[in-house]
Amino acid sequence: MGGKVVFKEYDPDQLTFLPYKLEELVPQGHPVRIVSKVVDQVDVKPINRKYKGGGASSFHPRLMLKLLIYGYLTNTYSSRKLEEQAQQNVHFMWLLGMKKPDHNTINRFRSEKLSGVLKQFFSQIVQLLVAEGIVSLKEAVFTDGTKIESAANRYTFVWGKSIKHNKEKIKSQLDELWKYAQTLAGEERLDTSPTTFTEVNAERVKQTIASINAALAEQEDVDPKVKQKLKYAQKHWTENLKKYDQQEKLLGERNSYSKTDPDATFMRMKEDHMLNGQLKPAYNLQISTQEQFILNYSLHQTSTDYQTLPSHIDGYEALYDTLPKAVVADAGYGSDENYCILEQKGIEAYIKYNIFDKEQKEGIKDFSNDSLHYNQQENYLTCPMGQRMQHIGDGQRITTSGYVQIVSRYQAANCHNCPMRGVCHRSAGNRVVEINHSLRKHKQAAKERLNTDQGIKYRKRRPADVEPVFAQLKHNHGFRRFLLKGMSKTEVEIGLLSIAHNLRKWKA
């Protein structure tokens, strides 16, 4: 038989001679101490300026900043959960000096006081990392993007194409009503407005419907369906057009937005739990990292990565008054505009173009545009059979970002009976190709740069530097959806998340 079982003494009502000090319950080197130490070093004057004098006293901005940063570091994102932690969690109690802000105070501070200024604190913390020699602002950075879902309702679509279609429909029906009124009442009964409507607006539609009603008022044989349509038009069209105008202002250059978060754009998400490629309201988060520390972040309303790079780099320069030596990114950023901008700023672009990986495996196809030899001095191309392709003109293409590209067109002199015609091209006449010489030059330079020893090192390092950061934020720490709505508030959330990530990694 075994010996007698002995239990440790347990008496929850037992008194202690002295109360515990919270200081003794927080181990040295604990992340909460790192947060407290770092936030004590940042300048909080930008937040102080947002407070108005008078009234009841407020919690100190430094206290509130510590609460939110440590909350995001411990995956506590909800203001109600943060309120609960401040009352129950020893580490939060030590950090706050036993102060207990409620969830409304926490949410107001996050939404209002940190809006527009948090990035200044983020940059100060990055500068501390620089001072420690952990990262460098002048070395290469690794840039990538991910989509994060908005807090908006997922099924509140407003589409730019739908607005355009509805306006065209009103314009077409108004034109039909006008022509019907002309036929029935005679042009002398109508005003001098044009008989076709190139565009419609609320005021003009209102006036036109009034004119049609007046012209048909004395007519006895008006089609009942026309009367019904006029009645509907008078009741709805003017208000609908006002609504469409307002929606187009909210859209701006986008093609969609959410009714419950107008700043969010509908995007396809990789994390698709329904596995049906469903569009969801989201924001495009861009980060630049080094040694898996976030050096810059920016939030965008466009789903395409290449459009985000110019403003992202401008943001980096505004934060630190310097630029990185190089930007390393995948093919999603390889555009003529981006290559040009980085070249002008003196930044080395280790950025793939759309077919770089394919070319590495298979080489350049014999009959592709890029395979055609270009004689710059005489401005002609040479086709695979050695025939000159003469320059026949230039044109312009304007990208969605407004960047103007110059496109040159070249045409072969005679493709008739060419033995290679079937694999070279399938058009009816002689082959015509369009070449963007600026892009072609940048692609060639990028290819040479990416295949240097340094370029190969950067290409190997990029997926191991920036992509794990997204895995940390979204998968390990469960931040897949914003809690707040609107660009200014979601930028605050990303700022807190980025600061928390850097401090968590600094500790590690």
Side-chain angles (χ1 to χ4, degrees), residues 104-265:
N104 285 324
T105 303
I106 296 168
N107 205 36
R108 278 197 304 272
F109 181 84
R110 178 170 56 184
S111 301
E112 299 170 11
K113 299 297 188 287
L114 292 184
S115 178
V117 299
L118 182 62
K119 210 159 191 182
Q120 297 177 44
F121 305 119
F122 167 80
S123 66
Q124 289 181 54
I125 292 170
V126 171
Q127 294 282 12
L128 294 175
L129 291 169
V130 173
E132 291 282 333
I134 297 172
V135 297
S136 170
L137 297 174
K138 295 186 179 181
E139 292 301 316
V141 297
F142 301 85
T143 301
D144 205 353
T146 190
K147 316 285 193 306
I148 298 183
E149 190 176 345
S150 163
N153 187 302
R154 295 172 182 173
Y155 306 105
T156 53
F157 303 87
V158 175
W159 295 103
K161 287 183 179 178
S162 178
I163 294 170
K164 185 178 180 181
H165 171 75
N166 289 336
K167 291 180 77 171
E168 288 291 331
K169 191 175 178 181
I170 288 176
K171 184 169 66 175
S172 173
Q173 291 181 348
L174 189 64
D175 191 45
E176 289 176 8
L177 288 171
W178 183 267
K179 288 176 180 176
Y180 177 83
Q182 279 184 323
T183 303
L184 200 63
E187 291 191 20
E188 68 279 358
R189 294 291 188 95
L190 295 172
D191 60 26
T192 56
S193 299
T195 55
T196 56
F197 302 90
T198 53
E199 64 176 275
V200 291
N201 58 59
E203 190 57 36
R204 187 178 180 197
V205 166
K206 185 178 179 180
Q207 292 173 357
T208 303
I209 292 172
S211 298
I212 294 172
N213 272 327
L216 298 181
E218 299 177 2
Q219 303 298 319
E220 297 180 356
D221 53 346
V222 179
D223 188 337
K225 290 183 179 180
V226 172
K227 286 184 178 180
Q228 186 179 7
K229 184 176 286 188
L230 273 170
K231 186 177 179 181
Y232 179 87
Q234 195 168 16
K235 186 176 180 181
H236 296 286
W237 284 3
T238 301
E239 291 305 314
N240 284 352
L241 285 168
K242 288 179 181 177
K243 180 182 73 174
Y244 297 150
D245 288 343
Q246 183 63 32
Q247 288 175 339
E248 285 180 327
K249 286 179 184 177
L250 288 171
L251 275 170
E253 298 297 321
R254 297 178 291 161
N255 58 10
S256 66
Y257 74 85
S258 168
K259 290 178 183 176
T260 50
D261 183 4
D263 286 349
T265 306

Side-chain angles (χ1 to χ4, degrees), residues 328-474:
V328 187
D330 63 20
Y333 300 85
S335 71
D336 186 26
E337 179 180 7
N338 289 343
Y339 289 132
C340 278
I341 287 172
L342 294 181
E343 184 178 53
Q344 290 166 6
K345 289 181 178 290
I347 301 172
E348 296 175 7
Y350 290 89
I351 300 177
K352 298 177 183 179
Y353 45 89
N354 57 347
I355 58 171
F356 174 81
D357 287 329
K358 190 173 182 180
E359 284 182 359
Q360 294 297 106
K361 294 177 182 178
E362 304 174 9
I364 298 176
K365 299 296 183 183
D366 292 338
F367 299 96
S368 68
N369 288 0
D370 289 335
S371 71
L372 303 177
H373 173 71
Y374 175 59
N375 186 309
Q376 185 174 358
Q377 187 174 355
E378 298 184 38
N379 192 18
Y380 69 84
L381 297 174
T382 304
C383 83
M385 292 299 290
Q387 182 182 178
R388 281 195 180 192
M389 303 181 73
Q390 298 296 342
H391 178 241
I392 59 173
D394 294 327
Q396 286 187 350
R397 285 181 187 160
I398 301 177
T399 66
T400 51
S401 62
Y403 180 73
V404 178
Q405 297 178 325
I406 304 299
V407 179
S408 300
R409 302 178 78 243
Y410 299 85
Q411 185 173 37
N414 183 15
C415 294
H416 184 64
N417 291 330
C418 175
M420 296 294 182
R421 176 168 183 160
V423 289
C424 182
H425 73 105
R426 296 183 180 180
S427 55
N430 295 326
R431 182 179 179 182
V432 176
V433 298
E434 295 184 341
I435 301 291
N436 178 343
H437 287 296
S438 173
L439 178 59
R440 199 181 201 203
K441 179 189 74 174
H442 285 129
K443 284 168 66 176
Q444 183 59 36
K447 183 177 181 179
E448 292 172 2
R449 197 179 297 119
L450 287 163
N451 283 317
T452 62
D453 290 342
Q454 184 65 71
I456 293 169
K457 287 179 183 177
Y458 282 153
R459 281 160 53 195
K460 289 179 178 178
R461 184 177 162 189
R462 186 200 67 80
D465 200 298
V466 65
E467 291 179 10
V469 176
F470 290 136
Q472 282 283 338
L473 300 182
K474 298 179 83 169

Side-chain angles (χ1 to χ4, degrees), residues 301-312:
Q301 295 173 296
T302 178
S303 61
T304 51
D305 286 338
Y306 78 88
Q307 289 181 273
T308 67
L309 190 62
S311 61
H312 184 75

